[in-house]
Amino acid sequence: MTGSNGSTAVSDQPVLPRPEGLEGVVAASTALSHVFGEEGRLVYRGYDIHELAGKASFEEVAYLLWMGELPTASELADLRAKLGAERPLPDQVIEVIRALPASAAPMDALRTGVSALGAIDDRHFDETPDLDEAIALTAKFPGILAAFFRLRQGLEPVAPIAEMNTAQSYLYQLFGREPDEKHWRPLEVYLTLLADHGMNASTFTARVIASTGSDLCSAITGAVGALKGPLHGGAPSKVLDMLEAIGAAENVDAWLTAALDRGERLMGFGHRVYRAEDPRAEILRGMAREASTPEFFELSRRTEERALTMLHERKPDRRLYTNVEFYSAAVLSAVGLPGDMFTPTFAVSRVVGWTAHVLEQVANNRLIRPQSEFVGPTDKHFVAIERR
Ligand code: ACO
């Protein structure tokens, strides 16, 4: 049979739905988190995100995702002690990061650092992912990024302080001074909001790799690569670029109209699953109002309002709303991070979800191996090279 594109369809293909981008396909069972797209709700292990944001620490949320329940005080103290003890990086990993050019993207440095850990730190990262490895990797993410952040400025990495929490320790290792509460508190809330999010692209990547029987560092290296893309986690620095390019409230309409007329996507809007506002965007908007300058917040708010109006006019059927990335830009820049550290900071949080998903996958594993729809020819004959 010849298809409309001249290709030959293969007759033994099952007649199954083939949604573009796997939209709506159930790829795994999970008890970790769920995105209720129509309602605009996010639930971690039974807790609505509003129950946790600003109340639970990042470490409590990590425990919840890994273990299924919120920790008692002693369980939390134990986890914090383990994270603190696991933060230092092997010297060889620092040397690998040192060898990278200062011009490298921090996400590339993170991906390289995680991959190097898998090759170097045999003590922890053997072939079977387990909770201790998940804790060790989560503990080391901030240090990998902070080492690269400092080395690219010609500064030496700073050793972590075990007693600090993750948000404090990350800022301390980045900037080499004790962080101000007005910086680490919003960062901590941000980290709790981003820790897991259903079967997103990077989580799916991690689960696919884990399903082959591969090791945790391989699964998380792949996930970092998937998160980097602007259609997934790579948008917030582009939100900042957009807001900087707009510059002032009076330019918003003209700038957005021109971008949409060119067929560009507005960063920080739209989502595969949400058909309502992303609940994390709502929480981050409130934090941005507190944490960023009034001018920057007003510019963000005006841009958001006009973008939503224009998107609703142009795509009335698609129901495009603000996603998590839009106000992440305002919050993370208020915390003192440059734009190219936004997506890596997302990863500092999401490594918890990735590792929890890997543990869930290996606990009840079956190789993830879907089919493809074959649309190529099948009846060609070999022609010797001198006759082609
Ligand atoms: N700006 C303008 N148009 C948009 C946007 C946007 N932000 N988002 C979707 N659309 C349009 C598309 O152009 C498309 O129009 P068309 O049918 O005329 O081609 C229609 O809406 C549907 O878009 P899809 O591509 O089907 O949406 P999909 O579910 O595949 O993509 C995505 C979701 C990638 C998030 C998309 O909305 C987007 O590109 N947003 C901008 C990037 C962004 O903010 N990424 C961060 C996502 S949040 C996260 O992963 C943490």
Side-chain angles (χ1 to χ4, degrees):
M1 189 179 80
T2 304
S4 55
N5 58 0
S7 63
T8 310
V10 176
S11 60
D12 72 345
Q13 290 188 107
V15 184
L16 293 171
R18 292 157 202 158
E20 286 290 324
L22 299 183
E23 181 162 6
V25 171
V26 173
S29 298
T30 182
L32 292 173
S33 71
H34 190 65
V35 179
F36 293 87
E38 285 294 326
E39 302 162 48
R41 261 185 95 204
L42 170 61
V43 171
Y44 289 172
R45 296 274 198 190
Y47 294 90
D48 187 288
I49 197 68
H50 289 90
E51 289 285 318
L52 301 169
K55 299 174 202 156
S57 66
F58 175 63
E59 291 76 15
E60 281 174 276
V61 166
Y63 189 99
L64 174 68
L65 288 169
W66 284 324
M67 307 298 288
E69 299 291 344
L70 285 167
T72 62
S74 69
E75 286 164 342
L76 180 61
D78 186 43
L79 176 62
R80 284 193 55 161
K82 282 184 180 160
L83 285 164
E86 289 292 353
R87 275 188 198 127
L89 296 176
D91 290 344
Q92 286 161 296
V93 172
I94 293 181
E95 290 318 307
V96 168
I97 297 168
R98 193 187 294 280
L100 295 172
S103 58
M107 280 300 273
D108 292 337
L110 178 63
R111 197 193 56 236
T112 305
V114 177
S115 187
L117 262 176
I120 291 162
D121 193 353
D122 291 337
R123 187 171 60 89
H124 282 305
F125 299 110
D126 61 12
E127 279 163 22
T128 313
D130 59 31
L131 181 62
D132 286 342
E133 293 189 356
I135 293 171
L137 205 48
T138 301
K140 287 173 168 47
F141 258 47
I144 295 172
L145 286 164
F148 176 71
F149 180 78
R150 294 182 68 81
L151 287 166
R152 76 175 177 180
Q153 299 172 72
L155 301 168
E156 277 304 301
V158 171
I161 296 178
E163 291 68 32
M164 287 182 169
N165 67 29
T166 303
Q168 289 169 319
S169 176
Y170 181 38
L171 293 176
Y172 174 71
Q173 285 197 275
L174 284 167
F175 301 115
R177 55 176 185 271
E178 194 148 332
D180 201 315
E181 193 165 344
K182 76 173 196 272
H183 291 143
W184 72 258
R185 285 248 184 239
L187 177 62
E188 164 137 74
V189 179
Y190 170 87
L191 295 177
T192 63
L193 292 176
L194 276 287
D196 199 35
H197 203 241
M199 194 51 55
N200 58 85
S202 55
T203 297
F204 182 53
T205 305
R207 287 189 80 131
V208 169
I209 296 173
S211 85
T212 69
S214 190
D215 63 285
L216 188 65
C217 287
S218 296
I220 303 308
T221 300
V224 173
L227 186 68
K228 185 183 169 192
L231 302 189
H232 186 11
S237 64
K238 297 192 190 307
V239 172
L240 191 63
D241 295 344
M242 174 174 77
L243 293 171
E244 284 172 357
I246 294 173
E250 61 267 29
N251 304 332
V252 169
D253 273 38
W255 197 97
L256 294 178
T257 303
L260 289 171
D261 286 348
R262 287 193 300 270
E264 289 173 13
R265 289 185 178 206
L266 303 180
M267 292 293 137
F269 300 95
H271 198 273
R272 173 58 62 80
V273 184
Y274 288 119
R275 295 293 172 256
E277 184 172 79
D278 183 331
R280 301 166 300 174
E282 182 198 334
I283 299 168
L284 287 165
R285 184 187 295 111
M287 289 166 58
R289 186 182 282 115
E290 300 291 315
S292 65
T293 63
E295 300 73 34
F296 192 76
F297 182 72
E298 276 320 303
L299 177 62
S300 304
R301 194 77 183 108
R302 171 82 186 153
T303 303
E304 181 190 27
E305 281 167 2
R306 295 303 299 142
L308 290 177
T309 304
M310 289 183 194
L311 288 170
H312 289 178
E313 281 165 8
R314 288 176 189 235
K315 308 268 176 207
D317 304 333
R318 190 64 195 175
R319 293 160 67 197
L320 298 168
Y321 293 93
T322 314
N323 66 42
V324 67
E325 307 282 30
F326 189 76
Y327 283 105
S328 293
V331 169
L332 294 179
S333 51
V335 162
L337 297 172
D340 70 353
M341 293 299 286
F342 292 175
T343 304
T345 303
F346 182 163
V348 165
S349 166
R350 186 55 59 85
V351 64
V352 168
W354 291 332
T355 51
H357 274 272
V358 167
L359 297 179
E360 196 180 47
Q361 180 68 36
V362 300
N364 190 15
N365 189 46
R366 184 153 191 246
L367 174 70
I368 298 174
R369 200 300 188 192
Q371 301 244 13
S372 47
E373 176 194 18
F374 183 67
V375 294
T378 58
D379 50 7
K380 289 192 163 184
H381 295 287
F382 181 76
V383 177
I385 196 160
E386 60 276 9
R387 292 202 286 115
R388 274 177 234 156

